[in-house]
Amino acid sequence: MIPPPSTPFPTPPSPPPPPMPAAAAWFVPTAVIGGLFLANLHATLVGPHAPDWTVLAVGCLVLLLALQLVLTLGAGGPDRGRRGRAAAYAVIGGQACLVYLPALYFQHPWMGVPGYLAGSVLFVLSAKAGWLVFLAVAASVALTHRLLNTVEAGAPADPLFMSVQVVITGLIVYGLTRFRQMIGDLRRAHRALAEAAVAQERLRFAKDLHDLLGYGLSAMVLKAELVLRLIPRHPGRARTELDEILDISHQARTDLHTVAHGHRDLSLDEECRSVSSVLAAAGVRVRMDADGTDLPPAVATAVATVLREGTANVLRHSTAENCEIRIVRGGGRVTATLVNDGAGPEPGRPGDRASGGLVNLSERAAALGGRLVAGPLPDGRFRLAVELPLRGRGDEGGRTRRDRLPAPG
């Protein structure tokens, strides 16, 4: 009875953790900037002022707050093209008008407002230009105080105090705007990683399905043809072969149901017996020299997968009469080679995009720190070989030495 083939299934990658909840990413900047607005509003309204002065001051501050929230809350959006930059420049232009023009009328109480503009230019402009304009805005506060001659001796709101206030407010505004931008970048990166994980899982499923069905279908077709030849003369043996076809088909159906769940290791010994039996049933003389005992599970699974794919290629692409399988270990590495005669058109090389099976095998070998080669030999035979380290990638046993496994031909 032929042991039914099985297939290795890599564990699907875990999705990345989600970024900060949308409510928190929106609430934190809004709350802090709103608090700064209330502080500026209180400082502006302290003291006896005419009603028209109060209404105008509140209107200007509300417009300034709206522009700042548009820039800060919109910083996490994806629009960073020409349209997005034009909108950002329009915002800082409006802020500049609301910062400096009302100062001519409000004078001293308005000098804490330029912090919004300082933070905005630091975010919108390039690094060098942003810092130059940021410092210029902070210095303009002291200069405006001197020009307006509104500073009284010993007053707490002296030019240095107001400049420091503008610097602190500007850095807070810049930090909050950059925070929103980072949250937006993280969300887009999270979506991209999730889409990449889905695409990777689909690709894994397609590869495993190819590896699974390729061998099983080839074995069933071969045995069905053998049954047709055996029925007239050897009905008893034909019944045995039919039982094996049923076993293989049942196992294939079970594997199809489990292809999307978890990881299963292959038994190299069972795979060696399986390929020997299938090749013998096809009339191929098999010479096997296998030293595959006590291999690490991942390495044994990779070698067994190579044997299964190689056997399927022999059945599909050749008229082989002889096949030699060797598994040799030594020097911290294991080398598996399958050589057959009667080679037909090449099933493809590992670098050929059309050769799905060999591409899959090459990627599996590379993931373990090894490599796979396939191609015709000078005597007309075809060779498929894989070399793998017995230990993980990164230590002495996991280094790939390309001189150990020369390219065929």
Side-chain angles (χ1 to χ4, degrees), residues 146-160:
R146 293 296 184 186
L147 292 177
L148 296 176
N149 196 23
T150 58
V151 180
E152 302 176 1
D158 58 67
L160 179 60

Side-chain angles (χ1 to χ4, degrees), residues 103-127:
L104 300 176
Y105 181 69
F106 300 141
Q107 296 188 358
H108 168 72
W110 201 251
M111 286 299 98
V113 174
Y116 294 106
L117 176 62
S120 297
V121 298
L122 199 59
F123 175 76
V124 173
L125 302 181
S126 63

